[in-house]
């Protein structure tokens, strides 16, 4: 049996952030049952271009004898892949001469997703305020797909190009703001490397309020109309009031408040108390929607 040396490689400490991993090489000597040296002899191990050396003795044993262990943190390629080459030699100083060996190993492919940033953390859904998302590639051969989404709405955007959030997206916002997701998906050819996301708060503009379409007022006491025609009469008339209002962009009307002749009413449709005041009366209406936004109008 010929004497030989053998390299055993292991990988550890894979770092996605640094795009590195640690390669450890162990060099073993297998004797031939005859040759022997009790003196320190030099071995060398080269990992990815870096050479390490040490000394060790050996026996005639054909079993594995550990000569030395070395480690190196290697940087992967821009696409996260890496094949590391390792070679070794052992100058025995006896008749078997200098033994050599080499091997290579494909390391873990590290995901290399582009970094993602946005120049604002909050934007109104007004169709005019711009945001810029920037994807920074880890490899020029990669391609990026950028999207922004909220609820059932989504649009594809471009890195470094301003985009806006349409007013239509307010339909996906129950309150006055919601968090949209800006996402970059990095690909190598047709293979998806991975993705990253950042949050973008989308707000409902202050101008988005419920709408009061109409306030209908009629005499509630038929006898007043019979006696006086289309007139309201102090101490006799009561008013039938109906408010036609609606929410916008998905909101709903949650409350009504109407002030008339010193009395407040909270119904969408109601019959007022008997009118106590002569002259011009102002009926003031305020509606509140599910976003807490209000709209007001008055009728004289």
């Amino acid at each position: 049996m010929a004497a030989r040396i053998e390299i055993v490689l292991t990988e550890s400490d894979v770092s996605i952030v640094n795009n590195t991993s640690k390669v450890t090489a162990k060099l073993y000597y297998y004797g031939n049952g005859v040759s022997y040296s009790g003196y320190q002899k030099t071995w060398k191990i080269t990992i990815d271009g870096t050479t390490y050396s040490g000394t060790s003795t050996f026996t005639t044993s054909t079993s594995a004898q550990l000569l030395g262990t070395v480690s190196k943190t290697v940087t992967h390629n821009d696409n996260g892949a890496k094949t590391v080459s390792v070679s070794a030699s052992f100058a025995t100083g006896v008749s078997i001469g200098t033994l050599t060996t080499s091997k290579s190993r494909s390391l873990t492919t590290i995901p290399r997703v582009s970094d993602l940033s946005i120049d604002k953390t909050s934007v109104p859904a007004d169709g005019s305020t711009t945001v810029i998302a920037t994807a920074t590639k880890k490899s020029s051969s990669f391609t990026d797909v950028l999207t922004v989404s909220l609820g059932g709405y989504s649009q594809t955007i471009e890195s470094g190009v301003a985009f806006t959030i349409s007013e239509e997206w307010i339909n996906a916002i129950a309150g006055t703001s919601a968090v949209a997701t800006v996402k970059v998906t990095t690909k190598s050819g047709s293979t998806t490397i991975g993705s990253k996301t950042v949050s973008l708060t989308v707000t409902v503009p202050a101008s988005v309020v419920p709408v009061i379409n109409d306030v209908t007022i009629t005499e509630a006491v038929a006898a007043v109309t019979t006696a006086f025609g289309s007139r309201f009469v102090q101490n006799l008339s009561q008013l039938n009031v109906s408010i036609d209002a609606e929410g916008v962009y998905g909101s709903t009307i949650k409350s009504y408040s109407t002030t008339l002749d010193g009395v407040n009413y909270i119904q969408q449709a109601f019959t007022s108390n008997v009118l106590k005041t002569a002259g011009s009366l102002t009926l003031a209406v305020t509606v509140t929607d599910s976003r807490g936004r209000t709209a007001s109008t008055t009728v004289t």
Side-chain angles (χ1 to χ4, degrees), residues 37-147:
S37 174
Y39 298 98
Q40 296 287 330
K41 299 299 179 179
T42 300
W43 53 261
K44 293 181 179 180
I45 302 174
T46 301
I47 303 178
D48 197 39
T50 301
T51 300
Y52 307 84
S53 62
T55 59
S56 183
T57 62
F58 61 92
T59 70
T60 60
S61 173
T62 57
S63 298
Q65 302 172 55
L66 179 63
L67 299 178
T69 301
V70 296
S71 297
K72 180 183 179 181
T73 297
V74 299
T75 300
H76 291 223
N77 302 328
D78 285 345
N79 64 0
K82 177 69 175 179
T83 297
V84 64
S85 297
V86 181
S87 61
S89 64
F90 183 42
T92 65
V94 295
S95 60
I96 54 179
T98 298
L99 304 176
T100 61
T101 189
S102 64
K103 71 183 331 181
S104 62
R105 171 174 170 169
S106 295
L107 303 179
T108 300
T109 298
I110 300 174
R112 303 305 292 147
V113 181
S114 296
D115 289 330
L116 179 64
S117 63
I118 52 178
D119 68 338
K120 294 184 179 73
T121 57
S122 179
V123 63
D126 58 9
S128 61
T129 304
T130 60
V131 184
I132 297 176
T134 302
T136 304
K137 294 179 182 293
K138 302 299 183 181
S139 171
S140 60
S141 65
F142 288 167
T143 58
D144 290 322
V145 177
L146 279 76
T147 59

Side-chain angles (χ1 to χ4, degrees), residues 227-270:
F228 299 99
S230 57
R231 299 180 181 179
F232 301 117
V233 182
Q234 182 185 19
N235 295 324
L236 294 178
S237 289
Q238 293 178 264
L239 303 185
N240 285 328
V241 179
S242 179
I243 303 164
D244 177 13
E246 60 184 340
V248 294
Y249 294 114
S251 72
T252 57
I253 301 299
K254 289 298 185 182
S255 66
Y256 299 81
S257 177
T258 303
T259 300
L260 171 64
D261 200 21
V263 180
N264 183 254
Y265 304 89
I266 60 172
Q267 297 82 17
Q268 179 268 329
F270 60 90

Side-chain angles (χ1 to χ4, degrees), residues 19-41:
N19 195 31
T20 60
S21 62
K22 180 180 178 181
V23 176
T24 298
K26 290 181 179 291
L27 183 62
Y28 291 93
Y29 171 80
Y30 294 84
N32 59 8
V34 179
S35 299
Y36 165 77
S37 174
Y39 298 98
Q40 296 287 330
K41 299 299 179 179

Side-chain angles (χ1 to χ4, degrees), residues 121-125 148-151 153 165 169-181 199-205 291:
T121 57
S122 179
V123 63
V148 55
S149 59
L150 176 62
Y153 295 93
I165 302 297
W169 287 37
I170 298 173
N171 286 301
I173 304 175
T176 56
S177 68
V179 177
T181 298
S199 296
L200 174 66
T201 299
V202 180
T203 61
V204 178
R291 292 191 179 96

Side-chain angles (χ1 to χ4, degrees), residues 170-191:
I170 298 173
N171 286 301
I173 304 175
T176 56
S177 68
V179 177
T181 298
V182 182
K183 179 179 181 180
V184 59
T185 300
T186 301
K187 295 186 175 184
S188 177
S190 60
T191 301

